[in-house]
Amino acid sequence: MRKQHPLELLIPPPVVMLAAAGLGWLSTWLWRGGVLFQLPLFWILLPVLLASVIGSLAVFHFLRARTTVHPHCPDRTSCLVAHGVFRLSRNPMYLALLLLLIAWMLQLGHLLAPVWLAGFVAYITRFQIKPEERVLRERFGEAYDAYCRQTRRWI
């Protein structure tokens, strides 16, 4: 069995998102010349609205299936949820966090925003999603593998 990295499943994904958001804000404060644009409010609210819908539907599907939404306990998963928003993304809750982060980075309009977005995706993929996938693969076997072949990790 593979040894778990100490950061796997350690930091809650919303905390990782807030850290990336804070780094985005800090970059605007430290490098004011990096602010490139100011977008109209609509373009900032659009990803917030999408995040709200996607995240709410994902939580609803988990609660309806009576399985855990706790990101540190993938071993408590009672069933494989592969319908609704989970047909579009295997990780719609993390996608919702990413969309909120995108909205924040659009608001900041800073040159380094893509760095913090990519950092969020890389961290969540490595230290949250992949460990969850290992547990789900062990728990649901071929059904999970088939789901992975049909549905992308993010979008």
Side-chain angles (χ1 to χ4, degrees):
M1 180 159 174
R2 184 183 169 279
K3 186 177 178 188
Q4 183 173 330
H5 188 283
L7 288 177
E8 287 183 355
L9 303 172
L10 178 67
I11 303 172
V15 172
V16 176
M17 186 213 51
L18 290 173
L23 289 168
W25 175 83
L26 187 61
S27 13
T28 64
W29 189 73
L30 293 174
W31 182 27
R32 297 191 190 282
V35 176
L36 299 177
F37 57 82
Q38 286 287 318
L39 287 178
L41 188 59
F42 169 79
W43 293 108
I44 296 161
L45 291 179
L46 184 62
V48 171
L49 178 63
L50 281 171
S52 300
V53 170
I54 291 169
S56 297
L57 287 172
V59 170
F60 169 77
H61 289 307
F62 267 34
L63 294 175
R64 190 168 180 210
R66 297 180 187 204
T67 192
T68 184
V69 295
H70 196 295
H72 294 140
C73 304
D75 55 321
R76 292 186 188 161
T77 303
S78 60
C79 67
L80 182 62
V81 179
H83 59 280
V85 291
F86 288 90
R87 287 185 320 199
L88 306 172
S89 170
R90 293 196 315 257
N91 298 284
M93 289 179 235
Y94 303 141
L95 178 59
L97 291 176
L98 177 62
L99 287 167
L100 290 175
L101 191 57
I102 287 170
W104 174 245
M105 295 301 175
L106 288 173
Q107 169 64 30
L108 295 175
H110 198 271
L111 182 64
L112 292 178
V115 171
W116 308 125
L117 292 169
F120 173 79
V121 169
Y123 184 93
I124 291 296
T125 300
R126 168 61 182 90
F127 295 109
Q128 188 66 44
I129 293 173
K130 288 188 176 186
E132 288 176 1
E133 288 176 342
R134 281 195 305 273
V135 170
L136 294 173
R137 186 164 282 114
E138 288 172 12
R139 193 166 193 95
F140 301 108
E142 178 53 37
Y144 183 71
D145 288 336
Y147 174 56
C148 289
R149 286 190 298 272
Q150 293 175 327
T151 307
R152 297 174 64 97
R153 181 178 282 146
W154 282 91
I155 50 175

